[in-house]
Amino acid sequence: MPVARPETSDSRIIAHVDMDCFYVQVEQRKQPHLRGQPTAVVQYNSWKGGGLIAVGYEARKDGVKRSMRGDEAKKVCPQIHLVQVPVARSKADLTIYRNAGSEVVSILSRKGRCERASIDEVYLDLTDAAEAMLKETPLESLESIHEEVLKSHVLGLTLNGNNDKEIVREWLTRRDADHRDKLLACGAIIVAELRLQVLKETEFTCSAGVAHNKMLAKLASGMNKPAQQTIVTLSSVKGLLEPLPIKKMKQLGGKLGSSLQTDLGVNTVGDLLQFSVEKLQDLYGANTGTWLWNIARGVSGDEVEGRLLPKSHCSGKTFPGVQALKSIAAVEKWLKELCEELSERLQLDLETNKRVAHTLTLHANAYKSTDTDSHKKFPSKSCPLRYGAGKILEDSVNLFQAALREFLGSYTNPADCGWGITNLSVSASKIVAVPSGTSTITKYFHGQDRFQPSLEPSDEKLAPEDDTLSPSTSHQTECGGQQTQITHDTSTFDQNETTCKDDVCLTSKHHEPQPRLSQKESNINDGKRSYEHKRKATKEKGTSSILRFLQTNSCSSSKQETICLSSGVQEGLNIESEALTESQNARRANTWRYNADEIDQSVVEELPPEIQEEVRTWLRPQKQANTVKRGSSIAHYFSPNRN
Ligand code: DCP
C-alpha cells in the first residue's frame, strides 16, 4: 500500500531522467551503421518475427509500434532493421543493456542523490546543487545559457513558435521570479548539462522532467521525447494533472485505478478532486485515502533514495501459447537455467559491489485447463535465499511445488489436473551491503548453510513483505495478442525473454495500492499470525535458532564495547562513539553486534565447528579487554532460559 508522505518542502528540485528508445540506442552504438536508420529490438522468441521490445524514433515516424511483431513492423516500414536481443541459456540476455544503464547512472549521480529506478530511468535530487548554483550566480545575471537549456519545455509558458528560445530565456532569468521557480530554472540548467555529458560520454540521448517532486518529474520526462526536457512549474501542476487519465498515474494502473473508475466514476485525476480526504480515507483506508487526496493535488513527499544499484535481481522467461510448461520436469528444467543465471548475477553483485541478497521469490503465471476459475492467480512464494545455483534451484523447486499445490487446491494431484505455466521467474531481493571485514562467518550467515530447504515454503510466503499483500504489482503481466508479456520488477533490471520494463518493486511501498478488501485483509492477518506462530515453533530448533538470534536482534544501542558478528572481524572490539554518522548508522543496521560477555557458550556450541572456531578467536581477545559492566536485553536473547 502506498504511504502518504507529506512534502518535506515544495522547494525540492527533483529530476527524472529516462533514456530514449534505450535498447535501440545500445544496439546502434554497437553497430554504428544503424544510426539514423529505422531500427527496433525484437525479443528472442522469433514467432512472427519476434515481439518488438524497443522501437527507435525513426521507425516510430513510420508507424512502427512496440505492440507489433517483427513481421508486422516490416509491412509498415520495409526498411526497418530488426535486431534480436542477445541470447544466453536459450533466453534473452540483458547484460549489455544493464551495463549501459550503469554507465549512464555513474554520470548522472555526479550532481546529487541518485536513485536508479529501472534499467533506463533515474531520479535525481538536485535541491542542493540548485541552491548552490542560485547562491553563486543570480540567474538574471547569467551571460550565456546553453542552447539545450533554452530548448526546455516550460509547462504553462506560452510559446509562439517564432522566438521560443528567447521566451524560455526570459522565463529562466526573471528577476522577480518566485524562489521555487528560480530553483527549477537552476535544476533545468543542471539537468541539461548532465544530459549533454551523458551524450558525450556514452553517445546516448535521454529526456528528463524537472519538478518539485518525483511524481511530477516522472510525468514530465515522457512529455517531450526524444532528447528534450520538460519543466513543471508550480502554477502548471493543476493544468497538468486535471485532464490526466487516472490510470496513467503511477500506482493507479491496476486494481486501485479500476476501483476508482468503477466505484467512484473517477476517470481523470481532476475527477478525484471532488472527494474529501475523509471520504477517500473512509473508502480506501487512512494511508491510501490520504495518498490519493495528495496526488490529485500534485503533492508527493517520496524521497529520492540514494541507490545506484538494482534493488533486486530477477531471471525469468515467458512460455506463450503452445510453449507453456505442462509438467514439473519441464518446469525444473527451466528453473535450472533461471537459477543458474540468477546465481551468476548474485555472485557478480557480491564480488563487484559487495552485496548479498536475503530473499528468494518464485513467481509464475499459470492456467488450469480443467477449471472454471481459470483466472486464479498463481501465488508467489518466498524463502530465505541460500547462495549457490544448486541451492537456489532446490529451494525454487520447493517453492514452485508449494505454489502449484495451492494453485490447484490442496487435494488435487498435479498429475491429474491439466495446468500450464506461461511465465516463470526467480528473483532475489532484500539486497544489502556486506559490511567490511567479511569472513567465513558472514558467508555462513548470508546463506551457505542457513536455510534448511523447507517442505512448506508457503510458511515463508506469509512474511509481511510478501507479494500476496499486493498481488497485482510485484509481477505485473500484460497480455497482448497471442503473446503473454511480462513487465516485471524492473527495479531489478530484470532478465526476461520478453520485456522487462516497469518500476514496481518487491517492497510494499512501491506496490500497487489495493482497494480495501476486508476478507483479503483478514486472510493476510491470518497469514501473519500463522507466520508468527511458525516462527515461534521453529525458534528453538538447532542451528536455525541461533541464526534467528543473530538476525532478529539489533545491537545494543548505548555507548559500549561490542562485537560485530558480521562486520567486525578485524575491528573486533568496537568502542562506539555517541555520535554516529548517517552512514555508520545505516551500516550498523546491517550488522549484528553483541556484547562478548553476554554470548551464551551453549549457543556458540550449536554453530558448525569452523564457525565456532572463528567466533572463539574473536571472543578471546574481546573478553580480556572487555571490562565494561552491562546488562542489556541482548543478554536475554543469548540466555538458555530465554522464552
Ligand atoms: N522494455 C522491454 N519491455 C517492455 C518495455 C521496455 O524490454 N515492455 C525495454 C526496452 C526499452 C527499455 O526497456 O528500450 C526502456 O523502456 P522504455 O519504456 O523507457 O522505452 P524506450 O526507452 O524503448 O523508449 P522511450 O524513448 O519511449 O522511453
Side-chain angles (χ1 to χ4, degrees):
M1 299 293 273
V3 177
R5 292 185 180 81
E7 289 273 9
T8 44
S9 141
D10 56 8
S11 307
R12 287 187 304 159
I13 299 300
I14 310 293
H16 179 258
V17 180
D18 188 13
M19 305 309 292
D20 303 318
C21 56
F22 189 46
Y23 289 12
V24 169
Q25 286 205 77
V26 175
E27 295 299 341
Q28 286 175 329
R29 184 173 73 169
K30 207 164 81 183
Q31 305 178 59
H33 69 276
L34 294 178
R35 280 194 193 286
Q37 302 288 321
T39 307
V41 175
V42 292
Q43 64 196 23
Y44 169 57
N45 179 343
S46 59
W47 183 69
K48 288 195 176 175
L52 269 52
I53 53 176
V55 181
Y57 281 83
E58 293 83 0
R60 290 187 205 193
K61 274 187 210 141
D62 289 342
V64 178
K65 297 197 166 59
R66 187 146 67 190
S67 55
M68 293 176 176
R69 302 200 71 91
D71 292 352
E72 194 184 352
K74 280 209 156 141
K75 275 190 202 139
V76 177
C77 174
Q79 64 284 27
I80 194 168
H81 297 268
L82 297 176
V83 183
Q84 197 193 58
V85 76
V87 174
R89 294 199 170 83
S90 311
K91 62 193 280 296
D93 178 1
L94 307 185
T95 310
I96 53 163
Y97 310 125
R98 268 188 225 108
N99 292 346
S102 301
E103 287 178 49
V104 174
V105 168
S106 72
I107 298 163
L108 293 177
S109 60
R110 290 173 192 164
K111 291 283 179 173
R113 192 160 65 238
C114 173
E115 174 184 331
R116 192 173 184 180
S118 85
I119 198 161
D120 77 331
E121 280 173 281
V122 162
Y123 287 101
L124 303 172
D125 188 332
L126 300 172
T127 313
D128 291 347
E131 270 169 359
M133 176 185 272
L134 196 56
K135 222 170 171 185
E136 202 169 290
T137 328
L139 288 167
E140 55 270 22
S141 54
L142 274 185
E143 278 168 15
S144 71
I145 300 180
H146 196 285
E147 177 87 359
E148 196 58 40
V149 189
L150 298 178
K151 279 177 11 199
S152 299
H153 300 259
V154 184
L155 296 185
L157 191 65
T158 312
L159 303 179
N160 58 22
N162 290 329
N163 56 346
D164 292 355
K165 286 183 194 157
E166 273 317 303
I167 297 173
V168 172
R169 182 195 300 276
E170 266 173 40
W171 183 85
L172 291 164
T173 56
R174 278 174 312 156
R175 189 180 291 273
D176 59 348
D178 179 290
H179 179 68
R180 293 165 299 184
D181 275 354
K182 287 187 175 178
L183 286 176
L184 277 177
C186 293
I189 294 170
I190 296 165
V191 169
E193 271 171 19
L194 284 169
R195 290 179 40 243
L196 287 169
Q197 202 56 33
V198 168
L199 182 62
K200 190 171 160 205
E201 292 183 37
T202 68
E203 303 175 27
F204 300 143
T205 66
C206 55
S207 301
V210 186
H212 290 298
N213 65 43
K214 281 170 90 173
M215 176 183 76
L216 296 171
K218 163 114 181 160
L219 279 175
S221 66
M223 291 178 77
N224 295 287
K225 275 190 151 244
Q228 295 173 75
Q229 60 184 47
T230 305
I231 305 167
V232 187
T233 57
L234 267 186
S235 59
S236 70
V237 173
K238 200 163 184 278
L240 167 68
L241 289 179
E242 272 191 9
L244 202 70
I246 197 81
K247 287 252 179 178
K248 292 258 179 215
M249 291 296 279
K250 193 171 173 210
Q251 305 200 71
L252 289 180
K255 288 185 183 171
L256 180 57
S258 301
S259 166
L260 288 169
Q261 284 179 321
T262 51
D263 302 336
L264 299 186
V266 167
N267 290 312
T268 62
V269 178
D271 293 342
L272 202 52
L273 290 170
Q274 62 189 290
F275 296 95
S276 68
V277 70
E278 290 81 14
K279 176 80 181 164
L280 293 171
Q281 288 175 339
D282 197 35
L283 289 166
Y284 295 103
N287 243 324
T288 304
T290 314
W291 178 80
L292 284 168
W293 193 86
N294 280 342
I295 59 143
R297 288 153 184 81
V299 175
S300 164
D302 277 356
E303 294 283 338
V304 173
E305 294 170 26
R307 178 167 43 79
L308 307 186
L309 297 168
K311 211 168 180 174
S312 55
H313 297 291
C314 179
S315 175
K317 183 169 168 71
T318 59
F319 306 95
V322 291
Q323 295 169 28
L325 307 178
K326 294 182 180 135
S327 69
I328 297 209
V331 169
E332 281 187 21
K333 173 185 167 283
W334 275 106
L335 276 179
K336 184 167 183 293
E337 300 292 342
L338 301 179
C339 292
E340 277 174 8
E341 194 220 332
L342 183 65
S343 177
E344 272 174 24
R345 285 172 52 199
L346 285 168
Q347 210 53 45
L348 188 68
D349 200 355
L350 178 61
E351 281 157 23
T352 317
N353 308 313
K354 306 278 177 287
R355 301 196 309 162
V356 284
H358 286 266
T359 301
L360 173 70
T361 304
L362 178 127
H363 309 275
N365 278 4
Y367 64 81
K368 274 186 267 185
S369 51
T370 55
D371 202 335
T372 46
D373 183 18
S374 57
H375 296 300
K376 186 172 168 188
K377 192 179 171 342
F378 195 89
S380 296
K381 297 276 179 189
S382 302
C383 71
L385 191 146
R386 300 186 299 156
Y387 272 65
K391 287 176 178 135
I392 295 175
L393 174 62
E394 191 181 335
D395 295 342
S396 298
V397 169
N398 282 338
L399 294 178
F400 176 79
Q401 289 184 331
L404 185 64
R405 276 197 299 276
E406 197 174 309
F407 179 67
L408 296 178
S410 318
Y411 302 107
T412 314
N413 180 344
D416 300 339
C417 173
W419 51 270
I421 298 294
T422 53
N423 77 52
L424 189 62
S425 66
V426 281
S427 66
S429 59
K430 286 208 182 153
I431 305 183
V432 297
V434 179
S436 60
T438 302
S439 70
T440 335
I441 191 140
T442 311
K443 282 191 203 142
Y444 175 78
F445 292 134
H446 284 293
Q448 296 302 329
D449 292 51
R450 177 172 125 194
F451 175 60
Q452 301 302 310
S454 168
L455 295 175
E456 300 173 82
S458 58
D459 292 331
E460 290 293 345
K461 159 193 166 278
L462 299 172
E465 75 282 3
D466 186 81
D467 299 339
T468 53
L469 292 176
S470 57
S472 64
T473 54
S474 63
H475 205 246
Q476 290 181 335
T477 319
E478 290 170 357
C479 298
Q482 299 181 51
Q483 172 74 37
T484 304
Q485 199 170 52
I486 181 171
T487 48
H488 56 91
D489 183 10
T490 51
S491 52
T492 69
F493 322 129
D494 294 344
Q495 169 73 299
N496 194 282
E497 183 196 328
T498 51
T499 60
C500 315
K501 174 65 187 173
D502 196 355
D503 53 0
V504 290
C505 307
L506 288 172
T507 50
S508 56
K509 119 177 165 186
H510 293 279
H511 280 169
E512 161 98 17
Q514 299 292 305
R516 212 158 46 165
L517 299 171
S518 54
Q519 182 56 47
K520 181 175 163 160
E521 280 175 359
S522 103
N523 289 345
I524 291 167
N525 287 336
D526 286 351
K528 284 183 184 168
R529 272 194 295 278
S530 158
Y531 175 71
E532 284 308 316
H533 178 75
K534 178 76 184 173
R535 275 173 63 95
K536 279 190 184 127
T538 55
K539 212 173 168 186
E540 300 300 329
K541 276 189 213 153
T543 305
S544 69
S545 66
I546 296 173
L547 294 173
R548 289 206 189 282
F549 294 156
L550 297 177
Q551 287 163 8
T552 55
N553 299 293
S554 59
C555 63
S556 15
S557 57
S558 60
K559 182 181 176 184
Q560 62 187 13
E561 295 162 349
T562 58
I563 293 171
C564 304
L565 285 182
S566 70
S567 76
V569 180
Q570 79 276 63
E571 293 164 7
L573 192 67
N574 270 357
I575 310 290
E576 293 190 32
S577 72
E578 274 177 42
L580 291 177
T581 64
E582 203 180 319
S583 68
Q584 281 170 320
N585 270 321
R587 188 173 151 210
R588 232 171 68 153
N590 293 326
T591 63
W592 300 290
R593 294 181 172 85
Y594 298 91
N595 295 337
D597 288 347
E598 292 169 351
I599 292 181
D600 186 304
Q601 278 310 307
S602 68
V603 172
V604 176
E605 276 156 24
E606 286 185 62
L607 293 163
E610 72 276 15
I611 305 297
Q612 283 187 32
E613 190 44 46
E614 195 169 341
V615 171
R616 290 208 170 92
T617 315
W618 298 351
L619 293 182
R620 263 176 241 127
Q622 321 306 345
K623 280 197 161 188
Q624 281 159 15
N626 191 4
T627 55
V628 180
K629 178 108 176 108
R630 32 186 126 58
S632 86
S633 60
I634 298 294
H636 172 74
Y637 284 100
F638 282 98
S639 155
N641 302 324
R642 136 197 72 72
N643 45 27

